[in-house]
């Protein structure tokens, strides 16, 4: 038996475990008992993370579409074709006719290389990744208020909090080891407030469960801040010493009385008052949030309110406090850190700065780099659908199931002159591609992932990739070479990290020889720096924290006579996103084998539906067939559906309307109707 210490490929919690292999085959995993996050535990996905690796569906050879069919090809043929066809599209339509989609499943080194390929080799800033669908509202909102869009504190800070507000995060199912840490804290006396109208596991342990209307968080948070100010519970010293623009905030929430808040949220005024007193009453108050906050057409406004609440109560820069956006994918923090974003280089360095552009151009050995910001992923799909974008290179994403409004996504992808997909399985998106490149998965390569608490950790190769599959970083380097660029010859991922460290101040001290056993938390500016568990200690990254005021905007599509129900979408415990990995993991797929929709017993009775009945759900975008799950998890009038299943895909229904600032889609609210299937 061989044991290889590596990082879980699923969620941003970043547990580490040992891959156990025998004769070159994985047979299981063992948790790491000393790891600061996993501490000997794993969730069911972690325990099963070895199972998809040897699945017979793994891609083993490049595929090229000939006579309408994807057929096996050599690496030479496939990679030359990718370069020739990308160049041809650019010659005909310009450099920005091509979009690169990077991957929060790939390593830091791979994200860095793809962004380098896009910018230095193909001369476009059209690079983005699934953070656009996820925490782009956080990156925008916290950059403006704090100067840095990452989780301010560490996971271990949960143990020190007096009160935790969990808002729009189903933590026990989506970040299980963080969820259980919160439950432990509650057992030792920490007060818990849950603001989420689903009766999630944490809600059952909460002192206060606020079941407000979907999309009414600005009203809720403004109401809470109103009470805190009116009752003299604000932290005046912190506000005076560390923040600016407080007067504007105080004025803007002055008319958000609990009564007005109640009318806008559907809560009782007393609940808003109680939440304000409970949160402001703790010496150390922590806010934990996720997609219930970000995935709205006013996602950035939600984040601004969260930042304001934390500053108002002096809850930044100390243990047990902070604004803690839980990052979803194993390496979505890293994807952002590495600059797989249309307007930023690695380490959030703005490409609008000419000096920074020069720095990167010199380091990469190119004359000039493009200066105009590229397209966000969601806008790129709109552009493709309208015929304004001609080629996409997608590494490790499955937009056919994960993008809003599947009809729109399909049209966008089918409109392209060239679609290249680099994945480990033939996904719904890869099936539409002209060229498919087989990638090695996490267990078959070296590199680093950065978890939600900014911890950069090493993954290690446990087994060989199947067939001819190659690591993403090797494929990208080879593409660069074939495109005539010779600045991507690396001895391995450690050497790529050395280049990242040189160009990226927050990663300046990150080097492989320093990452054993359990990584370092950025900012880590130099080799002697021990890493940073808590941000904004004495001052904010931007200097003073900035209060910004927001007014309450409703979701873009609300229920009406024709479509009387609110649909909110999200995830389940057993499956991962588009199911490419978990639906190929027997023990997980057995638990949750098919698409379903949660509805309240009152609604079910009105519609004549019973648990497990087949039903049809329809929105202005499309309709699908699924199974009723009658449950008090949801409130009357609201339905919940996970988006994991290709048959019964929630994104057939969702609304492709974007937050104007972050370009995130409104996955959390759209209007639908439903009826029993004939
Ligand atoms: N098992 C599993 N774990 C995962 C994932 C997975 O696919 N499967 N995906 C990972 C990724 S990438 C991400 S981003 C995270 C997401 O993690 P979460 O954000 O925790 O998951 P979601 O299910 O998207 O939504 C969380 C909650 O938001 C609530 N909500 C909906 N609308 C609103 C609203 O208007 N206001 C408020 N306050 N709440 C609302 C929903 O009721 C739901 O309980 O999970 C990560 N972990
Ligand atoms: N309705 C609705 N839609 C949503 C959401 C929602 O809440 N509701 N949430 C959104 C959010 S937060 C997110 S993050 C997105 C996620 O959207 P996606 O990122 O598109 O979803 P995944 O299924 O995680 O896709 C990852 C892909 O990477 C592949 N892969 C795994 N490992 C590797 C590797 O090492 N190399 C390569 N090249 N490929 C690899 C997998 O096979 C898979 O196809 O979905 C979004 N879509
Ligand atoms: S909590 Fe997240 S990182 Fe930890 S084992 Fe589960 S899926 Fe993996
Ligand atoms: Mo996500």
């Amino acid at each position: 038996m061989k044991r290889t210490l590596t990082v879980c490929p699923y969620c941003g919690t970043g547990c580490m475990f040992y891959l156990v292999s025998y004769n070159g085959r994985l047979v299981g995993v063992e948790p790491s008992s000393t790891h600061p996050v996993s501490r000997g535990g794993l969730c069911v996905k972690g325990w099963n993370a070895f199972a998809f690796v040897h699945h017979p569906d793994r891609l083993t050879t490049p595929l090229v579409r000939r006579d309408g069919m994807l057929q096996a090809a050599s690496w030479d043929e496939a990679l030359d074709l990718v370069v020739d066809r990308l160049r041809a599209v650019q010659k005909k339509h310009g450099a920005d006719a091509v979009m690169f989609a990077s991957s929060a499943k790939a390593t830091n080194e791979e994200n860095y290389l793809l962004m380098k390929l896009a910018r230095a080799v193909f001369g476009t800033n059209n690079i983005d990744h699934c953070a656009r669908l996820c925490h782009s509202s956080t990156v925008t909102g916290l950059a403006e208020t704090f100067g840095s869009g990452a989780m301010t504190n560490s996971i271990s800070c949960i143990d020190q909090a007096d009160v935790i507000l969990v808002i729009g995060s189903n933590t026990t199912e989506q970040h299980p080891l963080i969820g259980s840490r919160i439950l432990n804290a509650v057992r030792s006396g920490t007060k818990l407030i849950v603001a989420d109208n689903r009766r999630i596991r944490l809600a059952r342990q909460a002192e206060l469960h606020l079941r407000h209307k979907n999309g009414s968080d600005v009203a809720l948070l403004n109401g809470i801040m109103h009470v805190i100010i009116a009752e003299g519970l604000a932290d005046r010293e912190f506000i005076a010493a560390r923040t600016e623009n407080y007067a504007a905030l105080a004025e803007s929430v002055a008319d958000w009385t609990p009564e007005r808040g109640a009318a806008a949220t559907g809560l009782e005024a007393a609940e808003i008052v109680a939440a304000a007193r409970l949160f402001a009453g703790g010496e150390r108050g922590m806010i934990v949030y996720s997609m219930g906050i970000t995935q709205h057409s006013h996602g950035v406004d939600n984040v601004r309110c969260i930042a304001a609440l934390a500053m108002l109560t002096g809850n930044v820069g100390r243990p047990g406090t902070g604004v803690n956006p839980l990052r979803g994918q194993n390496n979505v923090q890293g994807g952002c850190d590495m600059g797989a974003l249309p307007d930023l280089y690695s380490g959030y360095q703005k490409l609008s700065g000419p000096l920074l552009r020069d720095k990167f151009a010199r380091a990469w050995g190119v004359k000039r780099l493009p200066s105009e910001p590229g397209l966000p992923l969601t806008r790129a799909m709109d552009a493709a659908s309208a015929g304004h974008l001609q080629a996409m290179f997608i590494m490790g994403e499955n937009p056919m199931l994960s993008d809003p409004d599947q009809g729109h996504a399909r049209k966008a992808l089918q409109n392209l002159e060239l679609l290249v997909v680099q994945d480990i399985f033939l996904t719904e998106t890869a099936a539409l591609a002209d060229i498919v490149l087989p990638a090695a998965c996490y267990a078959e390569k070296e590199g680093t992932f950065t978890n939600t608490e900014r911890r950069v950790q090493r993954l290690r190769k446990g087994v060989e990739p199947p067939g001819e599959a190659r690591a993403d970083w090797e494929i990208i380097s080879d593409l660069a070479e074939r495109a005539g660029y010779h600045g991507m010859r690396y001895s391995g991922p450690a050497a790529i990290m050395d280049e990242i460290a040189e160009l990226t101040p927050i990663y300046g001290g990150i080097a492989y020889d320093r990452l054993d056993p359990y990584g370092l938390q950025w900012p880590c500016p130099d080799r002697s720096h021990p890493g940073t568990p808590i941000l904004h200690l004495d001052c904010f990254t931007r200097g003073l924290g900035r209060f910004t005021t927001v007014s309450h905007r409703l979701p873009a599509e609300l229920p009406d006579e024709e479509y009387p129900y609110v649909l909110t979408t999200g995830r389940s415990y057993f499956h991962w996103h588009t199911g490419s990995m978990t639906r190929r993991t027997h023990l997980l797929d057995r638990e949750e084998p098919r698409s379903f929709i949660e509805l309240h017993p009152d609604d079910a009775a009105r519609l004549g539906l019973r648990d497990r009945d087949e039903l049809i759900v329809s929105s202005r975008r499309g309709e699908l067939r699924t199974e009723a799950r009658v449950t008090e998890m949801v409130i009357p009038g609201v339905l919940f559906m996970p988006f994991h299943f290709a048959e019964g895909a929630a994104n057939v229904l969702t609304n492709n309307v974007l937050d104007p600032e972050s370009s995130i889609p409104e996955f959390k609210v759209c209007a639908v109707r439903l009826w029993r299937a004939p």
Side-chain angles (χ1 to χ4, degrees):
M1 295 278 184
K2 184 176 114 188
R3 292 158 86 245
T4 311
L5 182 64
T6 197
V7 190
C8 178
Y10 284 113
C11 89
T13 303
C15 298
M16 285 186 83
F17 54 61
Y18 293 90
L19 282 170
V20 184
S21 60
Y22 182 70
N23 274 344
R25 303 269 304 175
L26 296 178
V27 291
V29 310
E30 262 175 34
S32 149
S33 56
T34 48
H35 187 264
V37 179
S38 34
R39 301 189 300 174
L42 290 174
C43 80
V44 70
K45 291 177 296 298
W47 277 112
N48 285 285
F50 67 100
F52 68 83
V53 174
H54 302 303
H55 194 282
D57 290 351
R58 281 291 300 277
L59 290 167
T60 54
T61 153
L63 304 172
V64 168
R65 193 171 294 279
R66 299 190 202 96
D67 310 322
M69 299 261 289
L70 282 172
Q71 297 180 11
S74 70
W75 274 111
D76 276 337
E77 181 191 356
L79 292 182
D80 283 338
L81 197 61
V82 171
V83 171
D84 289 350
R85 293 200 55 191
L86 283 173
R87 289 281 195 226
V89 166
Q90 290 193 312
K91 200 161 166 214
K92 199 155 118 206
H93 306 282
D96 293 332
V98 173
M99 175 83 199
F100 291 84
S102 199
S103 176
K105 284 269 163 271
T107 63
N108 286 321
E109 293 74 6
E110 291 161 345
N111 276 282
Y112 172 80
L113 284 198
L114 195 69
M115 86 100 180
K116 181 172 172 182
L117 184 81
R119 292 182 160 135
V121 183
F122 287 95
T124 179
N125 285 316
N126 284 343
I127 170 127
D128 203 359
H129 69 292
C130 71
R132 187 63 50 197
L133 310 174
C134 184
H135 269 295
S136 55
S137 307
T138 298
V139 173
T140 307
L142 292 189
E144 175 190 289
T145 48
F146 294 173
S148 164
M151 186 162 157
T152 63
N153 284 54
S154 292
I155 294 166
S156 62
C157 277
I158 291 167
D159 308 349
Q160 290 139 296
D162 297 318
V163 50
I164 305 179
L165 167 62
V166 175
I167 180 162
S169 155
N170 184 2
T171 328
T172 59
E173 294 199 36
Q174 267 56 82
H175 294 89
L177 276 268
I178 299 179
S180 53
R181 198 135 180 168
I182 295 176
L183 287 174
N184 279 341
V186 172
R187 253 173 245 128
S188 2
T190 301
K191 306 260 187 260
L192 177 63
I193 308 171
V194 170
D196 182 325
N197 64 33
R198 283 178 83 218
R199 184 173 290 160
I200 55 173
R201 170 83 175 81
L202 284 183
R204 286 179 248 146
Q205 251 56 50
E207 177 128 343
L208 205 56
H209 180 198
L210 305 170
R211 306 186 84 176
H212 59 306
K213 280 187 203 154
N214 300 77
S216 69
D217 296 271
V218 166
L220 172 64
L221 293 163
N222 277 350
I224 289 177
M225 290 193 280
H226 171 99
V227 176
I228 289 174
I229 294 173
E231 299 196 354
L233 301 172
D235 186 336
R236 300 227 138 250
E237 240 173 84
F238 184 92
I239 294 167
R242 305 249 345 231
T243 70
E244 62 184 16
N245 211 29
Y246 171 69
L249 178 91
E251 195 192 315
S252 88
V253 300
D255 55 358
W256 273 100
T257 59
E259 291 67 31
R260 183 175 170 208
T265 56
L267 296 170
E268 305 282 331
E271 290 178 287
I272 296 177
V273 174
R277 289 181 186 157
L278 193 55
F279 187 73
E283 174 55 27
R284 290 181 300 272
M286 178 180 237
I287 306 176
V288 170
Y289 74 88
S290 198
M291 296 301 100
I293 284 298
T294 57
Q295 290 176 331
H296 293 277
S297 56
H298 53 269
V300 180
D301 283 346
N302 282 344
V303 172
R304 289 182 172 116
C305 288
I306 297 227
L309 175 61
M311 291 191 289
L312 184 64
T313 49
N315 278 312
V316 187
R318 288 182 292 132
T321 68
V323 170
N324 298 290
L326 300 182
R327 306 301 303 253
Q329 294 262 32
N330 55 330
N331 198 35
V332 65
Q333 183 64 56
C336 293
D337 297 347
M338 291 302 109
L341 294 169
D343 52 345
L344 298 168
Y345 294 120
S346 57
Y348 308 93
Q349 301 176 81
K350 290 199 173 73
L351 57 88
S352 55
L355 287 179
L356 287 172
R357 256 195 342 266
D358 281 352
K359 169 175 106 169
F360 279 91
R362 240 178 297 120
W364 292 343
V366 294
K367 274 204 208 71
R368 53 182 263 339
L369 287 168
S371 57
E372 284 303 303
L375 284 171
L377 193 58
T378 42
R379 309 261 176 211
M381 296 298 277
D382 289 348
S385 159
H388 304 317
L389 182 87
Q390 281 75 22
M392 277 184 99
F393 183 105
I394 301 179
M395 168 171 89
E397 289 192 344
N398 188 10
M400 266 300 288
L401 287 187
S402 60
D403 254 44
D405 186 357
Q406 190 177 72
H408 173 269
R410 179 182 289 109
K411 182 173 169 214
L413 295 171
Q414 286 179 338
N415 257 357
L416 296 168
E417 280 174 33
L418 173 67
L419 174 61
V420 183
V421 173
Q422 179 166 312
D423 206 294
I424 62 173
F425 290 111
L426 191 72
T427 61
E428 292 71 14
T429 306
L432 297 176
D434 302 291
I435 304 164
V436 177
L437 305 174
C441 78
Y442 81 102
E444 300 152 352
K445 62 187 175 188
E446 307 278 321
T448 56
F449 291 150
T450 304
N451 83 345
T452 185
E453 57 172 5
R454 299 169 276 104
R455 186 185 293 277
V456 187
Q457 312 189 101
R458 275 188 71 179
L459 57 147
R460 290 182 184 75
K461 182 168 176 170
V463 289
E464 290 300 323
E468 294 171 35
R470 297 168 72 187
D472 293 288
W473 69 268
E474 293 176 287
I475 305 174
I476 301 166
S477 306
D478 199 343
L479 279 171
E481 200 67 38
R482 284 165 203 264
Y485 176 75
H486 306 301
M488 277 203 213
R489 292 177 181 163
Y490 300 99
S491 53
I496 306 176
M497 183 51 85
D498 291 342
E499 180 175 319
I500 295 168
E502 218 168 279
L503 287 168
T504 315
I506 56 174
Y507 275 66
I510 306 285
Y512 275 34
D513 61 347
R514 294 193 68 206
L515 295 182
D516 282 330
Y518 302 132
L520 283 167
Q521 285 174 279
W522 68 255
C524 178
D526 57 65
R527 278 198 66 100
S528 58
H529 195 283
T532 310
I534 301 179
L535 298 181
H536 318 301
L537 280 179
D538 300 318
C539 74
F540 284 92
T541 307
R542 74 179 288 278
L544 292 175
R546 183 171 178 80
F547 284 104
T548 42
T549 62
V550 302
S551 48
H552 178 42
R553 281 186 285 138
L554 293 172
E557 188 182 61
L558 287 169
D560 55 18
E561 260 175 40
E562 211 185 337
Y563 295 95
Y565 290 90
V566 169
L567 173 72
T568 189
T569 62
R571 322 165 141 71
S572 75
Y573 178 51
F574 296 101
H575 282 300
W576 192 262
H577 294 158
T578 69
S580 62
M581 292 144 69
T582 50
R583 295 197 77 196
R584 291 185 174 89
T585 300
H586 172 69
L587 286 174
L588 299 176
D589 202 45
R590 192 181 68 182
E591 294 296 325
E592 208 74 274
R594 60 162 304 190
S595 157
F596 63 88
I597 191 163
E598 291 179 357
L599 76 160
H600 190 271
D602 293 353
D603 292 329
R606 192 169 319 117
L607 293 159
L609 283 164
R610 281 167 312 175
D611 198 37
R612 308 275 157 179
D613 277 355
E614 290 280 307
L615 55 82
I616 312 283
V617 200
S618 151
S619 79
R620 289 186 176 85
R621 273 72 54 194
E623 72 177 43
L624 58 84
R625 195 184 174 98
T626 184
E627 186 181 271
R629 190 161 291 178
V630 179
T631 165
E632 290 184 0
M633 277 288 282
V634 288
I635 55 173
V638 176
L639 314 166
F640 171 83
M641 192 173 183
F643 71 104
H644 310 302
F645 305 91
E647 58 303 333
N651 279 322
V652 165
L653 305 166
T654 48
N655 193 5
N656 180 38
V657 59
L658 307 180
D659 181 301
E661 295 172 279
S662 65
S663 299
I664 202 168
E666 191 147 65
F667 283 125
K668 288 293 183 265
V669 182
C670 74
V672 297
R673 62 192 145 112
L674 66 167
W675 61 91
R676 177 199 282 281

